[in-house]
Amino acid sequence: ASPQPLAPKPLPETLMRDLKLALRSIAGSKKLSAVIVVTLALGLGANTAVFGVLHAVVLQPLPYPEPDRLVRIYASAAGEDSYLPGPAVLALREASRTLDVAAVYTYSPDGVDLTDRPEPERVRRLPVGADYFHVLGVRPALGRLFDRGDEHADAAVAVVSDRIWREHLGGALDAVGGALLLNGLQHRVAAVLPAGFDDPLEPGIDIWTPLNLQAGGPNNWDNHYLSAIARLRSGATLAQAQAELATIAAGLEWNNGRSGRHAVHVAPLHDDTVGSAGRVLWLLLGAVTVLLVIACVNVASLLLTRGAARETELAVRSALGGSRWRLVRQLLVESLVLSVGGGLAGLVLARVGARALLLAAPEVIARTSTGKLETTVVAFGFGAAVLSGVGFGIAPALQMTGSNLDAVLRDAGRSGSGSRRLTRTRNALVVSQIALALVLLIGAGLLLRSVERLQTVPLGVQTANVVVFEINLPSGRYSDPAQRARFHRDFQARVAALPGVRAVAAVSRLPVTGTYHRWGTSRVDAPQRGFIMPQQRVIEGRYFDALRIPILRGRAFDDRDDERAPRRVVVGQQLVKQLFGDDDPIGHRLRVADGTPEIIGVAGDVAISARGEAPPVVYHSHRQFAADRNWALTQVVALERVSPAILDDIRGQLAAIDPALVLYQPRMLADVVGGGMAQERFALRLVAGFAVLALVLAAVGVYGVLSYSVARRSREMGIRLALGAPAEAVRRLIVGDGVRLAGGGVALGLVGAFAVTRTLRSLLFGVSTTEPAVFAIAALALAAVAIAASWAPARAATRVDPVTTIFKT
């Protein structure tokens, strides 16, 4: 009787045997396996780190109940979103049937000084409407939240963070109802928020106080200074809310007769808080995924190299009855073991990488992500490892088991050119590596050119050796406008007398930090020339001297422009162009801020962003305008040279005037202005780093495939040399192979880059996504690296012993 076929073994037992064989095979080639694991760890670690930050910032929902129902409301005019006036917020809050609406003041950073300790502490405060926490779905840990009876100017109540409760109120349960000194004034603690709560619009807030929403004062239709968030009511949709608010807004008293009518725009709160950071992170995830693909291609090439040496083993196993599927499965298990090892090492690198990312990240990213690897991120890392294992393992497995294994057995013991199919596959993999590396290199080049051009944009100010900081003058102790103006004069005079100080000033908004205070302005004598909305800046001291802003006509403010003199302003050149044309503006009057000040000077244009846009601007003298409000001025100290002791000296002068005041957030102006390029620089650093790694991997790929080719063709090279071929000709032969690989990769990469670099458009400034110079330099650089990588194998080919290689069996 013929022998009965063996019954198939259970799958778990079979897989366990495959695993043991895989571990034995990997242990037999420790060096190669280590290279594969390290290569995968770099690719997977970088990928997981970027995904971790993307998940925290973009993919993870806001940490509030039903976060998908939270929205933000903007005023909208001429296609531009802006803040809302107080009466509009109240009207929307009362009339809407689809939304619960709450007001919040995010127009400018707001802070208070906690003066319950010997050394005052400056903390961030957020004025909010009574419905704010209700809209967010937040309940207090202690006490009660605001109600609408608190929405007035004299409400001395506060909601505090868990940190303030523990550090300043001792964590006492009876702290609610107690007093907290804010700017020297007693405020009753109404509630303590839960530990871990962070504000969605202004992270890092410690104190919340009620907004004054009473009619009059700042609450008029012309003053757009409030934000509004809302929660969709049950059954309502975003489209329904948008339609309803559009109807309500159409019936409101929006215009002042000159600025046109306004509508409203409703946006999901999550999308609003993420902003442009989402685009940057998706771009980086795409770039790091390309790097991972390059790493996988490199590993596949290494496995093919190893597979060539295992052809005899696979042929024997096939001859003994092993099916092709059985061999493919075994090879895939080996690939998966290597990829899981790389994934585990990658998670360690990802944790370090995520923290490094946050150190280099712009504020909107760094403040949102903690750098921790959450369960979802770990799962992503392992998923990427498994997919990578299958991805880089399947092609080598199919190639190595698909060749004529019988012929391999017949040729065993001979040396020759090896499997042509394996060689073609390895060449194709190297070409794809070069192509993908070129895409990353071109992307990095475009970002580099963009940042270079941003750095050469004329900003109209000098930022070097300029220190800026804030000093809050509490309204309770500085209620008199003359007293506030006198403080600034006295403080600036003291600081100006310090050694190394060139000029001292203060301003309501630093240059190159965005729009702020846009008020309707027109000519008194010729209102028909137009009504514009220029930027308004309140300045004190030698502001134009401190920042080297030239006065093109007339003069700057001086002692003649005190509180007793008629109102006067200095204007920017753009305002002159729009309202005066070729007319001389000196001596003319503007209608602005409920007054008609006289123009005494024209200053050079100053950029409002790092991209160089210079809008029209009106400068007001703080000495003449201090009565308008308690202006929060940023101090500007221009130095001849930076001294490490300068801040201590300035603090000493501040303490001599008022020891209860805090010198807050001292920074170099160059760093503040540089923040306008933070996203571009962040993207450049990472994409450039990925491009360098990709370049190295591509060079290793070229070197590996040519080294393998030389080793397999050693007999051929020996014969050529024995027959008198010059060593230089043999080297050219090998380098020629490298040139062909580089040429194919560069051609394919150029096509891919033309398609892919369009995704960079939003990050580029003054650079086309198809900049010819960048494409050419990147292509030449990569081709040069690839050719250089082929030189070592070419030299090795001429060092063989012709006699030994010819007669080698």
Side-chain angles (χ1 to χ4, degrees):
S2 59
Q4 295 296 318
L6 295 175
K9 295 184 178 180
L11 184 60
E13 183 180 342
T14 304
L15 290 177
M16 185 57 66
R17 188 173 67 176
D18 288 343
L19 180 60
K20 291 179 180 178
L21 289 173
L23 292 173
R24 189 183 307 160
S25 176
I26 291 170
S29 51
K30 293 183 178 64
K31 291 183 179 179
L32 181 64
S33 299
V35 170
I36 290 174
V37 168
V38 170
T39 301
L40 289 174
L42 290 173
L44 289 168
N47 213 269
T48 305
V50 173
F51 177 79
V53 178
L54 175 71
H55 177 263
V57 177
V58 180
L59 303 180
Q60 192 165 264
L62 295 172
Y64 311 105
E66 299 183 286
D68 57 320
R69 305 189 69 79
L70 292 172
V71 299
R72 186 167 182 179
I73 305 171
Y74 287 96
S76 180
E80 181 180 349
D81 288 343
S82 66
Y83 292 91
L84 292 152
V89 177
L90 292 176
L92 296 177
R93 187 172 76 174
E94 295 301 323
S96 178
R97 297 295 175 265
T98 61
L99 294 168
D100 293 322
V101 180
V104 55
Y105 178 83
T106 62
Y107 191 79
S108 65
D110 190 36
V112 292
D113 294 339
L114 287 173
T115 53
D116 58 346
R117 293 183 176 184
E119 291 189 7
E121 178 188 356
R122 181 78 166 170
V123 297
R124 298 188 66 195
R125 172 180 65 172
L126 187 65
V128 299
D131 302 288
Y132 186 70
F133 298 106
H134 167 70
V135 166
L136 290 178
V138 176
R139 295 182 178 180
L142 293 172
R144 70 158 184 89
L145 300 171
F146 305 133
D147 58 37
R148 296 189 181 182
D150 295 319
E151 295 176 334
H152 59 85
D154 299 324
V157 294
V159 171
V160 302
S161 68
D162 180 78
R163 183 186 78 84
I164 296 297
W165 176 59
R166 294 183 184 280
E167 295 182 9
H168 287 263
L169 300 174
L173 295 178
D174 61 353
V176 171
L180 192 65
L181 287 175
L182 305 180
N183 290 338
L185 299 177
Q186 282 197 352
H187 284 64
R188 180 174 54 83
V189 177
V192 178
L193 293 181
F197 172 80
D198 202 10
D199 196 274
L201 299 183
E202 296 289 336
I205 298 295
D206 273 316
I207 304 285
W208 292 259
T209 55
L211 262 172
N212 173 20
L213 293 178
Q214 289 184 323
N219 292 307
N220 59 73
W221 287 101
D222 293 334
N223 188 16
H224 292 237
Y225 79 109
L226 291 179
S227 295
I229 65 169
R231 179 178 288 273
L232 289 165
R233 292 178 180 173
S234 179
T237 66
L238 186 66
Q240 290 171 340
Q242 177 67 66
E244 181 197 45
L245 294 193
T247 302
I248 297 171
L252 297 179
E253 186 186 345
W254 279 93
N255 76 34
N256 56 12
R258 295 173 294 180
S259 61
R261 297 192 62 84
H262 294 78
V264 293
H265 170 225
V266 183
L269 185 60
H270 179 273
D271 296 348
D272 183 78
T273 56
V274 170
S276 59
R279 294 196 300 270
V280 174
L281 289 173
W282 280 115
L283 166 69
L284 294 178
L285 185 65
V288 79
T289 300
V290 171
L291 178 64
L292 178 59
V293 172
I294 294 173
C296 289
V297 170
N298 207 44
V299 170
S301 183
L302 291 172
L303 289 178
L304 282 174
T305 301
R306 182 177 175 222
R310 298 180 64 186
E311 283 182 329
T312 302
E313 172 202 337
L314 296 174
V316 170
R317 293 178 63 182
S318 176
L320 293 176
S323 66
R324 186 184 186 192
W325 158 241
R326 179 71 184 79
L327 299 178
V328 168
R329 189 180 68 196
Q330 175 62 48
L331 294 173
L332 281 179
V333 170
E334 293 181 21
S335 299
L336 287 172
V337 170
L338 291 169
S339 66
V340 169
L344 290 172
L347 286 176
V348 176
L349 294 177
R351 186 175 180 86
V352 177
R355 292 176 178 174
L357 275 177
L358 297 182
L359 290 176
E363 182 184 359
V364 69
I365 296 174
R367 75 186 186 195
T368 310
S369 175
T370 63
K372 295 180 180 178
L373 299 184
E374 299 180 3
T375 303
T376 304
V377 180
V378 173
F380 171 86
F382 273 108
V386 171
L387 288 176
S388 299
V390 174
F392 69 70
I394 190 69
L398 293 176
Q399 284 287 334
M400 289 154 57
T401 60
S403 59
N404 189 340
L405 295 177
D406 291 338
V408 171
L409 286 176
R410 289 195 301 269
D411 293 339
R414 301 181 185 177
S415 60
S417 61
S419 171
R420 292 182 179 179
R421 293 179 62 188
L422 291 181
T423 300
R424 285 197 297 268
T425 302
R426 283 175 55 84
N427 289 346
L429 290 174
V430 171
V431 167
S432 66
Q433 275 185 294
I434 294 173
L436 291 171
L438 181 60
V439 172
L440 282 180
L441 202 60
I442 288 174
L446 291 174
L447 288 171
L448 177 61
R449 289 293 296 274
S450 179
V451 169
E452 286 177 345
R453 293 188 179 180
L454 276 173
Q455 290 174 332
T456 60
V457 170
L459 300 178
V461 296
Q462 176 178 298
T463 61
N465 296 341
V466 177
V467 177
V468 297
F469 51 88
E470 299 172 26
I471 297 175
N472 175 55
L473 299 181
S475 296
R477 294 192 292 113
Y478 289 85
S479 58
D480 182 10
Q483 182 188 18
R484 295 194 292 267
R486 186 165 54 252
F487 165 83
H488 285 289
R489 288 200 304 275
D490 292 347
F491 175 70
Q492 291 179 11
R494 285 173 171 270
V495 175
L498 293 174
V501 173
R502 181 173 58 79
V504 186
V507 64
S508 57
R509 180 79 168 194
L510 290 171
V512 204
T513 58
T515 62
Y516 189 70
H517 284 145
R518 295 176 62 198
W519 301 338
T521 303
S522 61
R523 287 177 60 172
V524 170
D525 61 337
Q528 72 279 4
R529 294 291 295 266
F531 175 85
I532 63 174
M533 298 287 289
Q535 299 289 309
Q536 310 286 333
R537 298 292 182 266
V538 178
I539 63 175
E540 178 73 63
R542 296 171 53 196
Y543 180 72
F544 300 107
D545 289 341
L547 297 186
R548 308 282 194 191
I549 301 172
I551 298 296
L552 305 177
R553 300 183 194 176
R555 64 178 179 86
F557 297 121
D558 57 29
D559 289 338
R560 289 171 286 180
D561 309 307
D562 60 17
E563 56 272 15
R564 297 184 299 261
R567 282 268 310 279
R568 294 160 182 161
V569 293
V570 174
V571 299
Q573 194 173 15
Q574 279 297 323
L575 183 140
V576 174
K577 291 180 180 178
Q578 294 187 26
L579 289 185
F580 292 91
D582 295 330
D583 297 343
D584 185 356
I586 304 300
H588 286 269
R589 294 186 177 274
L590 296 177
R591 190 175 302 280
V592 59
D594 297 327
T596 56
E598 175 190 356
I599 298 174
I600 61 170
V602 178
D605 286 332
V606 174
I608 203 167
S609 77
R611 295 184 175 239
E613 301 97 331
V617 62
V618 178
Y619 296 96
H620 304 264
S621 167
H622 180 255
R623 294 181 65 177
Q624 295 189 330
F625 209 43
D628 179 75
R629 69 194 68 178
N630 185 357
W631 288 95
L633 301 183
T634 300
Q635 305 295 318
V636 177
V637 180
L639 306 170
E640 298 291 350
R641 62 186 180 279
V642 178
S643 167
I646 188 63
L647 287 178
D648 290 336
D649 293 341
I650 293 173
R651 285 191 179 95
Q653 297 304 322
L654 178 62
I657 299 175
D658 188 341
L661 296 180
V662 179
L663 191 151
Y664 182 61
Q665 278 192 333
R667 295 170 292 172
M668 300 303 297
L669 181 58
D671 295 335
V672 176
V673 171
M677 296 185 286
Q679 287 193 351
E680 289 83 354
R681 285 175 172 165
F682 178 62
L684 170 61
R685 290 190 191 105
L686 265 68
V687 174
F690 300 154
V692 169
L693 283 175
L695 199 62
V696 172
L697 289 174
V700 169
V702 172
Y703 172 82
V705 74
L706 293 180
S707 295
Y708 172 75
S709 174
V710 168
R712 300 286 290 184
R713 298 169 63 186
S714 59
R715 189 166 185 267
E716 173 195 340
M717 299 304 166
I719 293 173
R720 288 176 178 271
L721 293 171
L723 293 176
E728 183 62 31
V730 174
R731 284 195 289 267
R732 281 200 302 269
L733 179 67
I734 303 302
V735 172
D737 290 340
V739 170
R740 283 188 288 274
L741 291 174
V746 166
L748 187 60
L750 288 173
V751 174
F754 272 107
V756 171
T757 52
R758 295 179 182 180
T759 59
L760 293 174
R761 186 175 290 116
S762 64
L763 285 175
L764 298 181
F765 172 77
V767 179
S768 167
T769 58
T770 56
E771 187 88 2
V774 173
F775 275 64
I777 292 172
L780 290 173
L782 186 56
V785 169
I787 293 170
S790 66
W791 180 248
R795 289 186 63 192
T798 60
R799 292 181 176 179
V800 299
D801 182 358
V803 176
T804 302
T805 54
I806 290 173
F807 295 101
K808 184 169 63 176
T809 60

